[in-house]
Amino acid sequence: MIESPEKPPGRREIKSYVRHERRFTPTALARYRQLYSRYGLDPGGENWPAELLALWPRVILEIGFGMGTATLRMAAGDPERLYLGAEVFLPGILRLLKGADQEGIPNLRVIRGDGKETLKDFPESTLEGLHLFFPDPWPKKRHHKRRLVRGDFAELVCSRLKPGGYFLCLTDWEEYAGEIQALFRGCPGMTGPEGPGAPARPETEFEKKGRAAGRRIWEIYLRKASEI
Ligand SMILES: C[S@@+](CC[C@H](N)C(=O)[O-])C[C@H]1O[C@@H](n2cnc3c(N)ncnc32)[C@H](O)[C@@H]1O
């Protein structure tokens, strides 16, 4: 018998992802449930995310961590901050949960669900950083409405970051890189980097593929102004 973990309730809006039904074997499902109860979070409760922020006042949110390779390494190398990853791709979530467990990483939490909704859930000026590594470019024009970085996304990011907090985005899609830069340029609270540069990070799985195929990688690194 093959089963899949119950879906979190969806919220209506055009999504930046397509939910492919993935099923686990009963053993994988049991492991997923066991590890999710330790490292997973279910947003939406009365004290969400205040309770988390009380325990971990320094949070880096990552939307769409894929297989979680970079997330795991960054959390392991920065124990003072909580790395909170949101993803909808079940095999990737299970991989990251297993990695966190094997390495015993206390400052990592996972949300199975839409990371944009998680970003909205945070009160203003509470996040230290937002990581967006290779957001799906949705290359066809008729699919651009599915892109994560569009519309009011830059304002949303700016409002949720603490003053001095950063936004780090990577893409190998030139036209999307230009769109993202333009969108953030139109957001007065976000400035070019002053002070320390982008945090050190390992290659992500998509980055490896992109480089292997000879594609250029754009790194967009911006900070929220200390006073706006
Ligand atoms: C192109 S992959 C990049 C994965 C990884 N960051 C990397 O660089 O290897 C984009 C990932 O974002 C996830 N994703 C897209 N929209 C999302 C959303 N709104 N919330 C959470 N995950 C999302 C997809 O499921 C997919 O795994």
Side-chain angles (χ1 to χ4, degrees):
M1 192 177 56
I2 297 189
E3 299 175 68
S4 97
E6 38 297 307
K7 284 183 199 165
R11 304 190 220 188
R12 256 181 277 155
E13 185 182 307
I14 295 172
K15 294 296 185 188
S16 56
Y17 54 85
V18 178
R19 237 188 241 278
H20 296 289
E21 197 52 41
R22 299 276 173 162
R23 289 177 181 276
F24 287 144
T25 62
T27 314
L29 182 63
R31 187 88 177 115
Y32 172 88
R33 287 195 174 134
Q34 179 209 8
L35 293 175
Y36 201 91
S37 68
R38 198 175 314 155
Y39 292 100
L41 296 174
D42 293 308
E46 212 182 309
N47 295 321
W48 165 256
E51 217 166 35
L52 181 78
L53 284 164
L55 283 173
W56 291 95
R58 305 185 64 192
V59 177
I60 304 286
L61 173 65
E62 179 176 358
I63 301 181
F65 57 74
M67 299 311 279
T69 326
T71 322
L72 194 63
R73 295 273 55 81
M74 292 185 90
D78 186 11
E80 301 286 300
R81 297 196 278 199
L82 183 80
Y83 282 72
L84 174 62
E87 181 50 81
V88 291
F89 177 56
L90 274 174
I93 297 174
L94 183 57
R95 166 86 83 88
L96 182 56
L97 291 172
K98 283 180 176 171
D101 186 53
Q102 274 155 14
E103 296 194 29
I105 300 195
N107 59 322
L108 199 150
R109 294 289 181 281
V110 173
I111 287 179
R112 179 191 176 202
D114 186 337
K116 185 175 175 190
E117 297 303 330
T118 301
L119 178 62
K120 287 185 194 165
D121 286 344
F122 275 83
E124 285 189 14
S125 303
T126 48
L127 291 172
E128 288 211 357
L130 178 71
H131 291 174
L132 193 54
F133 299 161
F134 298 88
D136 295 299
W138 291 104
K140 290 182 184 157
K141 202 158 179 122
R142 67 191 158 91
H143 288 152
H144 283 189
K145 58 181 178 293
R146 284 189 170 277
R147 286 179 170 175
L148 194 57
V149 187
R150 61 185 287 278
D152 61 0
F153 190 80
E155 280 78 18
L156 176 64
V157 173
C158 183
S159 77
R160 288 345 187 229
L161 288 177
K162 291 178 180 174
Y166 70 86
F167 170 62
L168 177 58
C169 178
L170 308 169
T171 181
D172 59 2
W173 200 262
E174 182 171 9
E175 175 263 338
Y176 196 19
E179 290 278 315
I180 297 170
Q181 279 158 339
L183 207 64
F184 275 85
R185 260 199 303 275
C187 180
M190 298 296 290
T191 63
E194 286 158 23
R201 54 170 190 84
E203 273 190 336
T204 77
E205 294 298 318
F206 265 74
E207 188 169 9
K208 274 182 212 150
K209 285 184 203 156
R211 287 196 198 280
R215 288 197 287 273
R216 181 180 161 189
I217 311 292
W218 279 266
E219 182 182 271
I220 299 157
Y221 174 64
L222 299 164
R223 279 184 179 274
K224 177 168 170 174
S226 299
E227 278 180 36
I228 52 171

